Amino acid sequence: MPPLRQRKPGNTADEDDSSDLSEHQEDGSVSNGQQAKNKPSSIPPPTPAPTPSPLLDTVCTFGAQTFTTDQGLKIIQWSSWAIAYLTASSRHHKETLSPALRKLSGEVSFTRYVLRFYGFFQSLEGYRSGSWAGGSWDNPKIAKVAKYLMAGSMLFYYPLEHVAYAGWQLPTLSKFSRDNANKISA
């Protein structure tokens, strides 16, 4: 069995190190790799990256943050509920569109619950650092209100949301009433 190939000192990862190294052939002879150096590279040059689309950049930025993702899901949830409510009295959409949109609204609602699992850590960070104040204020009381009242209240809100979600999804395992947790968190 031939020994393992090793990179010679001074080679970079981008260079083709197979042309500089000695290789063992099947018959036991050693080739010096000079023939590989004389061959032109068959690797095409890299293509330049396309310019980003402003719309795509905006959507990716919007979706990358927990808060704005929740806002977008809230729009989908309430819009689908409203359309389901409006189409419930229509003869054509009563049996198909309205129930499907109500189901979509419920599923998006539970998706929002799941995303709130990250909210506790964001509120804890906001409580510890005061980052929820939104910048520097002339009145330091505004920063304290943001830190202690807003972020502090969310430290209680998110765990109650988690309990309510567990009550809805795992009703036999949850000893705490999901309706009580839902009422307390609201």
Side-chain angles (χ1 to χ4, degrees), residues 119-128 132 147-160 162:
F120 176 79
F121 299 106
Q122 289 177 338
S123 58
L124 180 61
E125 186 274 330
Y127 186 81
R128 294 184 69 199
W132 284 21
K147 179 177 180 176
Y148 295 114
L149 189 63
M150 289 174 50
S153 66
M154 291 294 114
L155 288 173
F156 294 102
Y157 169 77
Y158 286 115
L160 290 172
H162 303 163

Side-chain angles (χ1 to χ4, degrees), residues 77-97:
Q77 176 190 358
W78 288 103
S79 298
S80 61
W81 177 86
I83 295 169
Y85 179 78
L86 293 172
T87 58
S89 61
S90 170
R91 279 188 298 147
H92 302 291
H93 303 296
K94 187 174 189 173
E95 275 120 36
T96 57
L97 184 63

Side-chain angles (χ1 to χ4, degrees), residues 55-126:
L55 174 65
L56 186 60
D57 188 44
T58 302
V59 171
C60 289
T61 302
F62 186 83
Q65 300 171 358
T66 306
F67 178 75
T68 53
T69 300
D70 186 59
Q71 296 301 312
L73 289 173
K74 187 186 299 184
I75 291 169
I76 294 169
Q77 176 190 358
W78 288 103
S79 298
S80 61
W81 177 86
I83 295 169
Y85 179 78
L86 293 172
T87 58
S89 61
S90 170
R91 279 188 298 147
H92 302 291
H93 303 296
K94 187 174 189 173
E95 275 120 36
T96 57
L97 184 63
S98 183
L101 288 174
R102 270 187 269 130
K103 184 176 191 284
L104 175 66
S105 177
E107 294 296 324
V108 172
S109 174
F110 282 125
T111 301
R112 289 182 61 216
Y113 271 109
V114 170
L115 287 177
R116 289 185 191 135
F117 286 137
Y118 299 106
F120 176 79
F121 299 106
Q122 289 177 338
S123 58
L124 180 61
E125 186 274 330

